[in-house]
Amino acid sequence: MKQSQVSAPLHNDASRPPRVLIVKMSSLGDLFHALPLAHLLKRHTGATIDWVAQKEYCPVVTCFLEVARIIPFPRRSFWAVCTNATTIGT
């Protein structure tokens, strides 16, 4: 891939960089696999990057300097609440 293709802006409004939300909650290894994506998006677009992660993994995501905001999501307890809510009416 040519350098000019990689560094082309991915947004139309040059005065305002895009915002990107990465949702990666399944495993710790997946967080590290997605790190190059966050790095490249920040480097080539200047995007503001936010990340949704399991509460337990949020301290790891704080090490990713490209991430502006980390949104903790209680994945395990969330699905437990959903499951209980669907069985209440039966």
Side-chain angles (χ1 to χ4, degrees), residues 76-88:
R76 289 181 179 90
S77 61
F78 175 80
W79 290 116
V81 168
C82 290
T83 302
N84 288 337
T86 59
T87 58
I88 289 173

Side-chain angles (χ1 to χ4, degrees), residues 4 20-21 26 29 36 46 49 51 54 59 61 63 71 73-74 83 87:
S4 61
V20 176
L21 177 64
S26 55
I49 300 172
W51 196 305
Q54 282 182 214
V61 181
C63 298
I71 303 163
F73 185 79
T83 302
T87 58

Side-chain angles (χ1 to χ4, degrees), residues 58-77:
C58 287
V60 174
V61 181
T62 61
C63 298
F64 303 168
L65 302 178
E66 293 84 1
V67 178
R69 183 172 60 146
I70 302 164
I71 303 163
F73 185 79
R75 188 179 91 159
R76 289 181 179 90
S77 61

Side-chain angles (χ1 to χ4, degrees), residues 17-22 31-52 58-71:
R19 294 189 61 94
V20 176
L21 177 64
I22 297 175
L31 292 177
F32 289 104
H33 287 154
L35 178 58
L37 171 67
H39 177 74
L40 288 171
L41 283 169
K42 181 70 173 181
R43 184 169 145 205
H44 292 290
T45 69
T48 299
I49 300 172
D50 299 327
W51 196 305
V52 177
C58 287
V60 174
V61 181
T62 61
C63 298
F64 303 168
L65 302 178
E66 293 84 1
V67 178
R69 183 172 60 146
I70 302 164
I71 303 163

